[in-house]
Amino acid sequence: MSFWTALPEPALEKLAADFPALIMSIGEKRFGIELLSLLHATCGAEHATVFNLTADNLFEVTAASLDGSDTAHRQVGVYLKEGLWRQDPTMTEAQHQLESDTSAFVRTDVGDLSDDALREIVYGETDIKDRLLICSRWGDDIVGLSVLRSSNVGPFTARDIEAVKSIAGTIFALLAKHISMTWNGPNVSVALTSLEEIEACIRECAALPRREAEVCSRIIYGMSSLGISLELNICDETAMTYRKRAYSRLNIATQRDLLLWYLELWSKWQDRATRQVPQLEKVLPDYKAA
């Protein structure tokens, strides 16, 4: 008896409804939550993350949490910080499998992780119990899907795993389409010619007091000291003081240093849906239930 025929009628109806919704969301920001909705109906997933692994870095494509919060996105940020993903045995095992196959499927009981940072900080703070990692090698990169369940829901069952495998090929085909439609390369000109963009990036990613952030944003934007003081309704001396404090806080000395700092910050902050990847023209691997 197949997974599909074994599903109760309500679950089948939910899947039938979720697939069209996921397809219709391709290329849109809601793609992540639609993907999670499908995975929740399939295996009870509470969080899902899609990532792209290059030769030397890992990037988030989309992340979603069932409760509508940004939990998955925030935890991805923790996972990426200081390269914690590089010491993840789940990722290492997936890469090892991909050396001899076009796809990889790894399950991890979070409680068994020996790395304290991964177990307690990346997963423990959100009470994650179980993780399924599905990866496919596309050209020189790896695209992966991480599916998570908390202790409240409990670990994935054998039937849950079979269910995910049964639809993984379809999901990765939709992922390929989503990526090829949305990752067109970062628009660096926006990073430097939009004051709104500069302020949003610094506000969300840098621990600077409001006034220091405002002054730095306008320096990056190209405004003169006089222009900054007039726009912020402060005197020149006050503007200079905010600049000096910010430079000291950031451990930089020149306007060029500030620009380089900002561009590095923006490159990490900017929507990963604009990052360019190769056209995914190859036939995707067929994931079969074990």
Side-chain angles (χ1 to χ4, degrees):
M1 181 167 57
S2 72
F3 157 70
W4 298 101
T5 57
L7 276 178
E9 189 68 25
L12 276 174
E13 291 178 357
K14 184 70 167 63
L15 280 174
D18 285 343
F19 260 119
L22 178 59
I23 293 170
M24 292 298 294
S25 71
I26 290 174
E28 301 179 5
K29 288 187 176 181
R30 63 188 179 95
F31 179 83
I33 192 61
E34 295 293 352
L35 174 61
L36 178 57
S37 179
L38 176 68
L39 291 167
H40 178 69
T42 304
C43 65
E46 296 175 273
H47 309 275
T49 300
V50 178
F51 64 83
N52 174 233
L53 175 63
T54 66
D56 58 2
N57 215 341
L58 185 74
F59 300 97
E60 175 191 327
V61 176
T62 186
S65 295
L66 196 63
D67 61 5
S69 69
D70 66 343
T71 299
H73 174 68
R74 285 189 288 104
Q75 291 310 111
V76 171
V78 175
Y79 187 62
L80 297 179
K81 185 179 181 181
E82 298 179 0
L84 286 178
W85 60 272
R86 299 180 189 274
Q87 59 201 57
D88 183 359
T90 305
M91 186 70 69
T92 301
E93 173 60 23
Q95 290 175 285
H96 176 70
Q97 290 185 20
L98 288 170
E99 292 175 0
S100 58
D101 204 346
T102 56
S103 63
F105 195 101
V106 187
R107 179 185 180 183
T108 302
D109 184 331
V110 171
D112 291 339
L113 289 171
S114 60
D115 188 285
D116 291 342
L118 289 171
R119 187 182 65 254
E120 302 297 335
I121 300 175
V122 175
Y123 301 114
E125 291 187 358
T126 49
D127 195 30
I128 297 301
K129 168 63 179 175
D130 210 355
R131 177 192 186 191
L132 299 178
L133 177 63
I134 313 168
C135 296
S136 177
R137 184 172 291 283
W138 288 341
D140 295 329
D141 288 0
I142 294 172
V143 173
L145 169 64
S146 185
V147 187
L148 308 168
R149 277 171 55 157
S150 72
S151 296
N152 289 333
V153 176
F156 294 101
T157 65
R159 189 167 174 275
D160 292 330
I161 295 172
E162 179 185 354
V164 174
K165 286 184 176 181
S166 72
I167 64 171
T170 302
I171 287 177
F172 270 74
L174 299 180
L175 280 176
K177 185 66 174 177
H178 178 71
I179 292 171
S180 64
M181 286 180 62
T182 57
W183 288 14
N184 300 314
N187 186 354
V188 180
S189 64
V190 174
L192 298 174
T193 60
S194 168
L195 180 58
E196 181 180 357
E197 178 92 350
I198 297 169
E199 286 192 305
C201 176
I202 292 178
R203 181 175 61 250
E204 294 182 24
C205 302
L208 287 177
R210 179 177 63 87
R211 278 302 199 187
E212 291 177 26
E214 289 175 342
V215 169
C216 287
S217 295
R218 283 156 179 78
I219 293 172
I220 295 166
Y221 187 56
M223 294 179 65
S224 65
S225 297
L226 177 60
I228 293 172
S229 62
L230 290 174
E231 179 163 316
L232 297 180
N233 195 28
I234 56 178
C235 66
D236 289 353
E237 186 176 337
T238 301
M240 291 284 288
T241 298
Y242 285 133
R243 187 188 72 179
K244 290 178 180 178
R245 288 177 181 174
Y247 279 18
S248 176
R249 201 183 305 274
L250 298 174
N251 195 28
I252 60 177
T254 67
Q255 185 171 334
R256 179 179 180 276
D257 291 338
L258 177 65
L259 179 60
L260 293 175
W261 167 82
Y262 165 71
L263 287 175
E264 181 179 1
L265 190 72
W266 180 84
S267 69
K268 296 176 181 178
W269 170 79
Q270 58 96 19
D271 185 359
R272 290 301 172 185
T274 65
R275 186 176 178 274
Q276 188 170 11
V277 297
Q279 291 297 313
L280 308 178
E281 298 175 347
K282 63 173 288 186
V283 177
L284 294 173
D286 181 22
Y287 291 84
K288 297 180 180 179

